[in-house]
PDB file of all heavy atoms in Angstrom:
ATOM      1  N   SER A1157     -31.462  32.602 -35.340  1.00 65.00           N
ATOM      2  CA  SER A1157     -31.450  31.437 -36.228  1.00 65.00           C
ATOM      3  C   SER A1157     -30.487  30.340 -35.793  1.00 65.00           C
ATOM      4  O   SER A1157     -30.439  29.281 -36.410  1.00 65.00           O
ATOM      5  CB  SER A1157     -31.066  31.890 -37.651  1.00 65.00           C
ATOM      6  OG  SER A1157     -29.815  32.557 -37.626  1.00 65.00           O
ATOM      7  N   GLY A1226     -34.899  29.376 -34.432  1.00 83.00           N
ATOM      8  CA  GLY A1226     -34.940  29.532 -35.867  1.00 83.00           C
ATOM      9  C   GLY A1226     -35.158  28.215 -36.570  1.00 83.00           C
ATOM     10  O   GLY A1226     -34.864  27.145 -36.043  1.00 83.00           O
ATOM     11  N   VAL A1227     -35.712  28.321 -37.749  1.00 82.00           N
ATOM     12  CA  VAL A1227     -35.816  27.195 -38.672  1.00 82.00           C
ATOM     13  C   VAL A1227     -35.086  27.614 -39.945  1.00 82.00           C
ATOM     14  O   VAL A1227     -34.632  28.753 -40.060  1.00 82.00           O
ATOM     15  CB  VAL A1227     -37.285  26.851 -38.970  1.00 82.00           C
ATOM     16  CG1 VAL A1227     -37.970  26.325 -37.723  1.00 82.00           C
ATOM     17  CG2 VAL A1227     -38.031  28.075 -39.492  1.00 82.00           C
ATOM     18  N   LYS A1228     -34.949  26.745 -40.875  1.00 82.00           N
ATOM     19  CA  LYS A1228     -34.207  27.059 -42.085  1.00 82.00           C
ATOM     20  C   LYS A1228     -34.833  28.264 -42.793  1.00 82.00           C
ATOM     21  O   LYS A1228     -35.983  28.232 -43.193  1.00 82.00           O
ATOM     22  CB  LYS A1228     -34.198  25.850 -43.014  1.00 82.00           C
ATOM     23  CG  LYS A1228     -33.327  26.069 -44.254  1.00 82.00           C
ATOM     24  CD  LYS A1228     -33.267  24.822 -45.113  1.00 82.00           C
ATOM     25  CE  LYS A1228     -32.365  25.062 -46.327  1.00 82.00           C
ATOM     26  NZ  LYS A1228     -32.290  23.867 -47.191  1.00 82.00           N
ATOM     27  N   GLY A1229     -34.064  29.335 -42.852  1.00 81.00           N
ATOM     28  CA  GLY A1229     -34.541  30.534 -43.542  1.00 81.00           C
ATOM     29  C   GLY A1229     -35.458  31.413 -42.721  1.00 81.00           C
ATOM     30  O   GLY A1229     -36.021  32.371 -43.252  1.00 81.00           O
ATOM     31  N   GLY A1230     -35.624  31.111 -41.433  1.00 87.00           N
ATOM     32  CA  GLY A1230     -36.543  31.929 -40.647  1.00 87.00           C
ATOM     33  C   GLY A1230     -36.229  31.895 -39.173  1.00 87.00           C
ATOM     34  O   GLY A1230     -35.339  31.180 -38.712  1.00 87.00           O
ATOM     35  N   GLN A1231     -36.979  32.688 -38.433  1.00 89.00           N
ATOM     36  CA  GLN A1231     -36.821  32.741 -36.987  1.00 89.00           C
ATOM     37  C   GLN A1231     -38.155  33.094 -36.343  1.00 89.00           C
ATOM     38  O   GLN A1231     -39.054  33.627 -37.014  1.00 89.00           O
ATOM     39  CB  GLN A1231     -35.750  33.772 -36.599  1.00 89.00           C
ATOM     40  CG  GLN A1231     -36.010  35.168 -37.122  1.00 89.00           C
ATOM     41  CD  GLN A1231     -34.811  36.087 -36.914  1.00 89.00           C
ATOM     42  OE1 GLN A1231     -33.678  35.647 -36.979  1.00 89.00           O
ATOM     43  NE2 GLN A1231     -35.070  37.354 -36.664  1.00 89.00           N
ATOM     44  N   SER A1260     -40.473  35.448 -38.837  1.00 90.00           N
ATOM     45  CA  SER A1260     -40.141  35.780 -40.226  1.00 90.00           C
ATOM     46  C   SER A1260     -39.697  34.519 -40.940  1.00 90.00           C
ATOM     47  O   SER A1260     -39.195  33.574 -40.308  1.00 90.00           O
ATOM     48  CB  SER A1260     -39.045  36.845 -40.296  1.00 90.00           C
ATOM     49  OG  SER A1260     -37.836  36.362 -39.755  1.00 90.00           O
ATOM     50  N   GLN A1261     -39.868  34.500 -42.274  1.00 91.00           N
ATOM     51  CA  GLN A1261     -39.504  33.331 -43.056  1.00 91.00           C
ATOM     52  C   GLN A1261     -39.123  33.766 -44.464  1.00 91.00           C
ATOM     53  O   GLN A1261     -39.877  34.490 -45.130  1.00 91.00           O
ATOM     54  CB  GLN A1261     -40.650  32.330 -43.130  1.00 91.00           C
ATOM     55  CG  GLN A1261     -40.327  31.056 -43.880  1.00 91.00           C
ATOM     56  CD  GLN A1261     -39.273  30.222 -43.171  1.00 91.00           C
ATOM     57  OE1 GLN A1261     -39.374  29.973 -41.968  1.00 91.00           O
ATOM     58  NE2 GLN A1261     -38.246  29.809 -43.896  1.00 91.00           N
ATOM     59  N   ASN A1262     -37.935  33.351 -44.888  1.00 90.00           N
ATOM     60  CA  ASN A1262     -37.522  33.578 -46.270  1.00 90.00           C
ATOM     61  C   ASN A1262     -38.116  32.463 -47.134  1.00 90.00           C
ATOM     62  O   ASN A1262     -37.705  31.299 -47.021  1.00 90.00           O
ATOM     63  CB  ASN A1262     -36.000  33.584 -46.383  1.00 90.00           C
ATOM     64  CG  ASN A1262     -35.383  34.789 -45.701  1.00 90.00           C
ATOM     65  OD1 ASN A1262     -35.759  35.920 -45.980  1.00 90.00           O
ATOM     66  ND2 ASN A1262     -34.446  34.540 -44.792  1.00 90.00           N
ATOM     67  N   ILE A1263     -39.056  32.826 -47.981  1.00 92.00           N
ATOM     68  CA  ILE A1263     -39.683  31.833 -48.854  1.00 92.00           C
ATOM     69  C   ILE A1263     -38.756  31.486 -50.013  1.00 92.00           C
ATOM     70  O   ILE A1263     -38.568  30.325 -50.365  1.00 92.00           O
ATOM     71  CB  ILE A1263     -41.034  32.353 -49.371  1.00 92.00           C
ATOM     72  CG1 ILE A1263     -41.940  32.750 -48.194  1.00 92.00           C
ATOM     73  CG2 ILE A1263     -41.708  31.309 -50.252  1.00 92.00           C
ATOM     74  CD1 ILE A1263     -42.246  31.614 -47.252  1.00 92.00           C
TER      75      ILE A1263
END
Side-chain angles (χ1 to χ4, degrees):
S1157 57
V1227 293
K1228 185 176 181 180
Q1231 56 190 34
S1260 64
Q1261 183 66 49
N1262 292 307
I1263 305 300

